[in-house]
Amino acid sequence: MKGGSFFMAKKWGQRVRNWMANKMELPQDVMMDLPRITMIGQIHIYIENHRGLLAFTDKELRLLLKQGQLLIKGKTFVIKTILPEEILLEGKIDQVVYITDNSGGTK
């Protein structure tokens, strides 16, 4: 059960991060490596802590996350700022969707 011990260690590490975030009063996004998304209405979205730009058109933005992807759909998109882990998108935002890999496979 070599693979089983890997998953147990992974779950234990996640529990430790949760506990540390609670006890040290740290933001969950920092400890859990989650994206931080700030939206102003439907015209402006700022995403921090992503893993890279996968696709961009004037109607769609797709970002790689630690676990899955973030898909943003709308119209007249313009990237105002792009940094290694941050992006500022403007336009008319219609949808923000998390895409997760539920296949259960390991990578």
Side-chain angles (χ1 to χ4, degrees):
M1 294 284 287
K2 188 176 186 179
S5 62
F6 169 75
F7 289 113
M8 287 176 50
K10 190 173 180 180
K11 284 185 178 184
W12 183 82
Q14 187 172 358
R15 286 184 191 151
V16 168
R17 285 191 297 276
N18 283 336
W19 179 82
M20 286 178 60
N22 289 331
K23 294 298 178 191
M24 299 175 75
E25 297 181 15
L26 296 172
Q28 286 284 332
D29 60 313
V30 172
M31 291 302 295
M32 302 304 295
D33 206 14
L34 300 172
R36 177 179 290 231
I37 302 168
T38 306
M39 277 185 74
I40 298 175
Q42 287 182 275
I43 60 168
H44 174 108
I45 188 165
Y46 182 69
I47 301 118
E48 299 172 84
N49 202 22
H50 67 84
R51 299 288 173 103
L53 179 65
L54 296 175
F56 174 73
T57 69
D58 64 336
K59 297 177 183 160
E60 181 177 297
L61 175 82
R62 189 179 293 251
L63 296 172
L64 181 63
L65 304 176
K66 181 179 180 187
Q67 295 179 346
Q69 298 177 12
L70 184 68
L71 173 63
I72 303 165
K73 291 186 174 188
K75 299 177 186 86
T76 64
F77 284 169
V78 176
I79 295 175
K80 291 293 189 172
T81 305
I82 186 164
L83 299 168
E85 293 184 4
E86 302 173 26
I87 192 163
L88 171 59
L89 179 72
E90 289 184 358
K92 183 179 183 302
I93 300 161
D94 294 325
Q95 292 181 326
V96 179
V97 181
Y98 282 93
I99 301 169
T100 57
D101 178 21
N102 292 325
S103 65
T106 59
K107 294 181 183 176

